[in-house]
PDB file of all heavy atoms in Angstrom:
ATOM      1  N   ASP R 219      36.333 -29.354 -55.997  1.00  0.00           N
ATOM      2  CA  ASP R 219      35.929 -30.412 -56.924  1.00  0.00           C
ATOM      3  C   ASP R 219      37.064 -31.425 -57.015  1.00  0.00           C
ATOM      4  O   ASP R 219      38.109 -31.168 -57.592  1.00  0.00           O
ATOM      5  CB  ASP R 219      35.634 -29.819 -58.300  1.00  0.00           C
ATOM      6  CG  ASP R 219      35.115 -30.850 -59.284  1.00  0.00           C
ATOM      7  OD1 ASP R 219      34.885 -32.015 -58.878  1.00  0.00           O
ATOM      8  OD2 ASP R 219      34.932 -30.495 -60.453  1.00  0.00           O
ATOM      9  N   LEU R 220      36.839 -32.597 -56.408  1.00  0.00           N
ATOM     10  CA  LEU R 220      37.853 -33.641 -56.421  1.00  0.00           C
ATOM     11  C   LEU R 220      37.783 -34.481 -57.685  1.00  0.00           C
ATOM     12  O   LEU R 220      38.649 -35.308 -57.928  1.00  0.00           O
ATOM     13  CB  LEU R 220      37.705 -34.536 -55.185  1.00  0.00           C
ATOM     14  CG  LEU R 220      37.837 -33.818 -53.846  1.00  0.00           C
ATOM     15  CD1 LEU R 220      37.580 -34.785 -52.704  1.00  0.00           C
ATOM     16  CD2 LEU R 220      39.177 -33.153 -53.714  1.00  0.00           C
ATOM     17  N   GLY R 221      36.741 -34.289 -58.463  1.00  0.00           N
ATOM     18  CA  GLY R 221      36.595 -35.021 -59.719  1.00  0.00           C
ATOM     19  C   GLY R 221      36.567 -36.515 -59.490  1.00  0.00           C
ATOM     20  O   GLY R 221      36.058 -36.992 -58.491  1.00  0.00           O
ATOM     21  N   ASP R 222      37.154 -37.245 -60.429  1.00  0.00           N
ATOM     22  CA  ASP R 222      37.172 -38.703 -60.321  1.00  0.00           C
ATOM     23  C   ASP R 222      38.451 -39.217 -59.690  1.00  0.00           C
ATOM     24  O   ASP R 222      38.718 -40.409 -59.705  1.00  0.00           O
ATOM     25  CB  ASP R 222      37.012 -39.335 -61.713  1.00  0.00           C
ATOM     26  CG  ASP R 222      35.617 -39.093 -62.265  1.00  0.00           C
ATOM     27  OD1 ASP R 222      34.691 -38.937 -61.453  1.00  0.00           O
ATOM     28  OD2 ASP R 222      35.471 -39.064 -63.493  1.00  0.00           O
ATOM     29  N   THR R 223      39.268 -38.336 -59.131  1.00  0.00           N
ATOM     30  CA  THR R 223      40.512 -38.790 -58.517  1.00  0.00           C
ATOM     31  C   THR R 223      40.230 -39.426 -57.173  1.00  0.00           C
ATOM     32  O   THR R 223      39.180 -39.229 -56.567  1.00  0.00           O
ATOM     33  CB  THR R 223      41.490 -37.618 -58.311  1.00  0.00           C
ATOM     34  OG1 THR R 223      40.892 -36.699 -57.403  1.00  0.00           O
ATOM     35  CG2 THR R 223      41.820 -36.944 -59.625  1.00  0.00           C
ATOM     36  N   GLU R 224      41.184 -40.196 -56.718  1.00  0.00           N
ATOM     37  CA  GLU R 224      41.085 -40.811 -55.399  1.00  0.00           C
ATOM     38  C   GLU R 224      41.994 -40.019 -54.467  1.00  0.00           C
ATOM     39  O   GLU R 224      43.163 -40.359 -54.265  1.00  0.00           O
ATOM     40  CB  GLU R 224      41.512 -42.275 -55.477  1.00  0.00           C
ATOM     41  CG  GLU R 224      41.213 -43.029 -54.233  1.00  0.00           C
ATOM     42  CD  GLU R 224      41.467 -44.516 -54.396  1.00  0.00           C
ATOM     43  OE1 GLU R 224      41.529 -45.021 -55.508  1.00  0.00           O
ATOM     44  OE2 GLU R 224      41.602 -45.165 -53.358  1.00  0.00           O
ATOM     45  N   PRO R 225      41.504 -38.921 -53.897  1.00  0.00           N
ATOM     46  CA  PRO R 225      42.366 -37.957 -53.227  1.00  0.00           C
ATOM     47  C   PRO R 225      43.064 -38.472 -51.972  1.00  0.00           C
ATOM     48  O   PRO R 225      44.118 -38.000 -51.630  1.00  0.00           O
ATOM     49  CB  PRO R 225      41.415 -36.810 -52.895  1.00  0.00           C
ATOM     50  CG  PRO R 225      40.076 -37.421 -52.884  1.00  0.00           C
ATOM     51  CD  PRO R 225      40.113 -38.552 -53.865  1.00  0.00           C
ATOM     52  N   TRP R 226      42.485 -39.418 -51.248  1.00  0.00           N
ATOM     53  CA  TRP R 226      43.118 -39.821 -50.003  1.00  0.00           C
ATOM     54  C   TRP R 226      44.045 -41.015 -50.181  1.00  0.00           C
ATOM     55  O   TRP R 226      44.728 -41.403 -49.267  1.00  0.00           O
ATOM     56  CB  TRP R 226      42.122 -40.046 -48.885  1.00  0.00           C
ATOM     57  CG  TRP R 226      40.955 -40.920 -49.207  1.00  0.00           C
ATOM     58  CD1 TRP R 226      40.852 -42.249 -48.961  1.00  0.00           C
ATOM     59  CD2 TRP R 226      39.729 -40.528 -49.796  1.00  0.00           C
ATOM     60  NE1 TRP R 226      39.642 -42.706 -49.383  1.00  0.00           N
ATOM     61  CE2 TRP R 226      38.925 -41.662 -49.894  1.00  0.00           C
ATOM     62  CE3 TRP R 226      39.232 -39.322 -50.263  1.00  0.00           C
ATOM     63  CZ2 TRP R 226      37.660 -41.637 -50.432  1.00  0.00           C
ATOM     64  CZ3 TRP R 226      37.965 -39.305 -50.797  1.00  0.00           C
ATOM     65  CH2 TRP R 226      37.204 -40.449 -50.864  1.00  0.00           C
ATOM     66  N   HIS R 227      44.087 -41.613 -51.354  1.00  0.00           N
ATOM     67  CA  HIS R 227      45.044 -42.677 -51.670  1.00  0.00           C
ATOM     68  C   HIS R 227      45.428 -42.586 -53.142  1.00  0.00           C
ATOM     69  O   HIS R 227      45.134 -43.490 -53.913  1.00  0.00           O
ATOM     70  CB  HIS R 227      44.449 -44.064 -51.406  1.00  0.00           C
ATOM     71  CG  HIS R 227      44.305 -44.395 -49.965  1.00  0.00           C
ATOM     72  ND1 HIS R 227      45.361 -44.421 -49.103  1.00  0.00           N
ATOM     73  CD2 HIS R 227      43.223 -44.708 -49.226  1.00  0.00           C
ATOM     74  CE1 HIS R 227      44.934 -44.748 -47.897  1.00  0.00           C
ATOM     75  NE2 HIS R 227      43.642 -44.919 -47.942  1.00  0.00           N
ATOM     76  N   PRO R 228      46.072 -41.514 -53.571  1.00  0.00           N
ATOM     77  CA  PRO R 228      46.387 -41.399 -54.992  1.00  0.00           C
ATOM     78  C   PRO R 228      47.429 -42.436 -55.412  1.00  0.00           C
ATOM     79  O   PRO R 228      48.342 -42.748 -54.658  1.00  0.00           O
ATOM     80  CB  PRO R 228      46.940 -39.982 -55.121  1.00  0.00           C
ATOM     81  CG  PRO R 228      47.445 -39.652 -53.761  1.00  0.00           C
ATOM     82  CD  PRO R 228      46.557 -40.391 -52.787  1.00  0.00           C
ATOM     83  N   ALA R 229      47.262 -42.996 -56.616  1.00  0.00           N
ATOM     84  CA  ALA R 229      48.218 -43.957 -57.134  1.00  0.00           C
ATOM     85  C   ALA R 229      49.565 -43.282 -57.345  1.00  0.00           C
ATOM     86  O   ALA R 229      50.617 -43.832 -57.053  1.00  0.00           O
ATOM     87  CB  ALA R 229      47.703 -44.552 -58.443  1.00  0.00           C
TER      88      ALA R 229
END
Side-chain angles (χ1 to χ4, degrees):
D219 184 5
L220 300 176
D222 291 333
T223 63
E224 190 172 341
W226 50 95
H227 288 301

